Amino acid sequence: MNDETIYALSSGGLPSGVAVIRISGPQTQHVLDALCGRMPEPRFATLLPIRNRNGEALDRGLVLYFPGPASFTGEDTAELQIHGGRATVRAAFSALDAIPGLRAAEAGEFSRRAFLNGKMDLVAVEGLADLVAADTEMQRRLAAEQASGGLSRLYESWAKRLTHARAMIEAELDFADEEDVPGSVAETIWDDMRLLHQDVVNHISSAQAGEIVRDGLRVVIAGPPNAGKSSLINYLAKRDVAIVTDVPGTTRDVLHVDLDLYGFAVRLYDTAGLRDTEDLVEREGIRRTHLSLAEAHLVLLLRDRPDAEIDSVKSVYTGPVIRVGTKVDRQESAWPAGTADVMISVETGAGIPELLARIGAYLPDISAANAQALPTRKRHFDNLRVVEDNLGQAIDAAHVGLDIRAEFLRRAAHALGRIAGRVDVENLLDVIFSEFCIGK
């Protein structure tokens, strides 16, 4: 239990209709006595005056008290729900500052205390951070599942299987002469370890889907100069993101906008036109275009005529491509069959619904019952790779002693424990909790 009591505004920007000030720590009861004159009944909202140390009334608001350990942080916690004017909140903060032993909370400190007090593991904490930051419905669903412990329960079930396997091996190694110890570990655990290994492999294969849901589908709009790339991104963004002129090479940098498509985040990148040029600034823009192509999930390859040069895109990108013919409203003749997947015009809107539908086809299918249990962060993926590798080595090492195979399983269990924060994660905490806003 931390011996400091912290407070912060937890309800967002001011002014607002209501401001929620959260307090957590061993002095919470003393704070409520000092500000409100008495303790409210636990877990019941009570309308009370809020006063400073001189007895001056600052406001009246709803006060809630949550005794630890049955609270968000696991400590005594309280909330002051007062009017959300800037002056009112400043006065409340001044009253809190005047109480010895209180200090303002750092970013993510309430959630960090919840983790340290065993109220959440790291996967749930990261899900909570993603839930606060969610912009789309699918981001909300994935984050809510992880914040509620869905992914943690999956990893916990794997950890139990590993623990059982290791216990059986230790029993055979240490108590081989006992009658109630199985004589062959292979018959009791290795079939399950093979199934677990396949479960981990399948889970890792869903990592890109988790990345797309959390961070968005990265779609790069590429093609030669004046193909209509900036016009398309402006049309989809419904605002002037990029400069549009008839002069080739106008776009010198990589611009992006975020769209909500079918509840998923889609990040569209407008890139410099690909061509040979002596202009140093334009060449730098083309270099950045190549970098964007290397990280893309999907490329929209735009051309305003069927014979336009596109080989420079194919030389740096080998993933899925949607070939888009542009300026269809200006075309005097149809394009030859097979030269474009969709024809569009940003002047008339022709073909745009079909283009969005084709982009939507590259969004992950998370309709299955357990599809929300997806790894979403690089540290999840990296540790899962270690789990997969060590499980594979333990399974394949039938020619070596059980003690060696047991060590592989121990390493797998250790890596799995790092995901949830069970072992050896102190160096990760500052990074993870810094993602939170103040007051969470």
Side-chain angles (χ1 to χ4, degrees):
M1 182 76 69
N2 201 305
D3 59 0
E4 293 183 303
T5 299
I6 57 174
Y7 69 88
L9 180 68
S10 295
S11 53
L14 301 175
S16 60
V18 175
V20 178
I21 298 174
R22 177 178 286 173
I23 304 161
S24 182
Q27 292 197 72
T28 297
Q29 292 190 39
H30 170 65
V31 171
L32 294 182
D33 282 331
L35 295 185
C36 307
R38 67 180 179 88
M39 286 291 299
E41 186 177 351
R43 293 182 175 76
F44 280 87
T46 306
L47 182 64
L48 293 172
I50 311 297
R51 302 180 185 274
N52 61 20
R53 64 189 305 176
N54 298 320
E56 177 188 356
L58 306 178
D59 198 6
R60 286 173 62 85
L62 293 178
V63 180
L64 295 98
Y65 171 60
F66 306 93
S71 68
F72 174 73
T73 62
E75 305 170 332
D76 286 354
T77 305
E79 289 185 359
L80 307 179
Q81 299 183 8
I82 61 177
H83 293 96
R86 291 188 176 91
T88 303
V89 173
R90 280 198 301 268
F93 280 179
S94 295
L96 289 166
D97 286 337
I99 300 175
L102 263 69
R103 65 170 176 83
E106 299 174 357
E109 191 166 4
F110 290 93
S111 297
R112 184 166 187 154
R113 291 189 176 199
F115 167 72
L116 295 175
N117 291 326
K119 306 299 290 187
M120 293 188 294
D121 65 16
L122 282 187
V123 177
V125 166
E126 290 168 331
L128 183 59
D130 290 343
L131 188 60
V132 172
D135 290 322
T136 70
E137 174 62 15
M138 293 305 172
Q139 287 174 335
R140 182 199 65 78
R141 285 192 198 177
L142 182 63
E145 173 70 13
Q146 295 193 5
S148 66
L151 190 57
S152 299
R153 287 189 290 273
L154 175 64
Y155 294 155
E156 182 65 27
S157 70
W158 291 355
K160 289 180 179 178
R161 292 164 69 180
L162 280 168
T163 299
H164 172 72
R166 294 171 63 199
M168 294 293 289
I169 291 175
E170 292 296 335
E172 181 167 332
L173 288 173
D174 297 339
F175 306 105
D177 295 334
E178 300 293 332
E179 294 182 357
D180 57 350
V181 175
S184 176
V185 169
E187 295 178 2
T188 59
I189 68 162
W190 293 114
D191 285 345
D192 184 55
M193 290 300 95
R194 291 186 186 92
L195 292 174
L196 177 57
H197 182 259
Q198 188 59 52
D199 288 343
V200 175
V201 170
N202 294 341
H203 188 63
I204 290 174
S205 69
S206 68
Q208 186 179 73
E211 176 192 18
I212 290 173
V213 174
R214 180 177 181 264
D215 299 325
L217 182 74
R218 293 192 298 272
V219 180
V220 172
I221 303 175
N226 266 12
K229 300 183 297 296
S230 297
S231 296
L232 176 60
I233 202 168
N234 286 347
Y235 181 92
L236 294 176
K238 297 182 172 59
R239 57 191 174 92
D240 289 336
V241 176
I243 298 173
V244 177
T245 73
D246 291 330
V247 179
T250 302
T251 300
R252 303 296 185 93
D253 204 349
V254 177
L255 308 175
H256 74 264
V257 297
D258 293 331
L259 303 180
D260 185 338
L261 184 62
Y262 310 124
F264 289 87
V266 174
R267 174 159 287 191
L268 288 170
Y269 293 86
D270 179 25
T271 59
L274 298 173
R275 64 171 180 171
D276 293 328
T277 178
E278 297 301 319
D279 187 302
L280 291 178
V281 177
E282 189 177 356
R283 286 169 63 182
E284 173 62 18
I286 293 171
R287 185 189 71 83
R288 297 184 184 188
T289 296
H290 289 168
L291 294 176
S292 297
L293 287 168
E295 297 177 351
H297 296 126
L298 174 66
V299 165
L300 305 184
L301 184 52
L302 270 60
R303 292 180 292 168
D304 60 350
R305 63 183 194 278
D307 59 345
E309 168 64 39
I310 60 172
D311 288 342
S312 55
V313 173
K314 295 179 179 179
S315 66
V316 295
Y317 175 77
T318 58
V321 172
I322 299 176
R323 299 171 299 168
V324 183
T326 62
K327 306 177 184 179
V328 66
D329 55 296
R330 303 183 190 177
Q331 301 294 330
E332 297 181 358
S333 60
W335 284 34
T339 55
D341 299 312
V342 58
M343 300 292 297
I344 66 168
S345 168
V346 297
E347 296 296 329
T348 66
I352 298 295
E354 181 183 352
L355 175 61
L356 293 177
R358 285 180 175 270
I359 295 173
Y362 290 91
L363 295 170
D365 180 8
I366 58 173
S367 58
N370 63 344
Q372 293 294 338
L374 302 174
T376 59
R377 294 173 182 254
K378 184 178 184 298
R379 75 171 197 91
H380 300 175
F381 181 81
D382 291 343
N383 281 291
L384 287 167
R385 281 294 191 195
V386 176
V387 175
E388 176 199 7
D389 180 63
N390 281 279
L391 271 173
Q393 291 193 66
I395 292 167
D396 294 338
H399 58 285
V400 302
L402 274 180
D403 53 344
I404 302 299
R405 304 180 81 181
E407 173 61 17
F408 286 131
L409 295 185
R410 187 199 66 79
R411 293 179 181 180
H414 187 273
L416 194 58
R418 283 180 57 83
I419 299 175
R422 308 295 186 199
V423 292
D424 189 24
V425 293
E426 188 62 33
N427 59 326
L428 291 174
L429 299 185
D430 290 339
V431 175
I432 291 171
F433 290 105
S434 67
E435 297 182 11
F436 282 86
C437 55
I438 298 294
K440 193 61 181 169

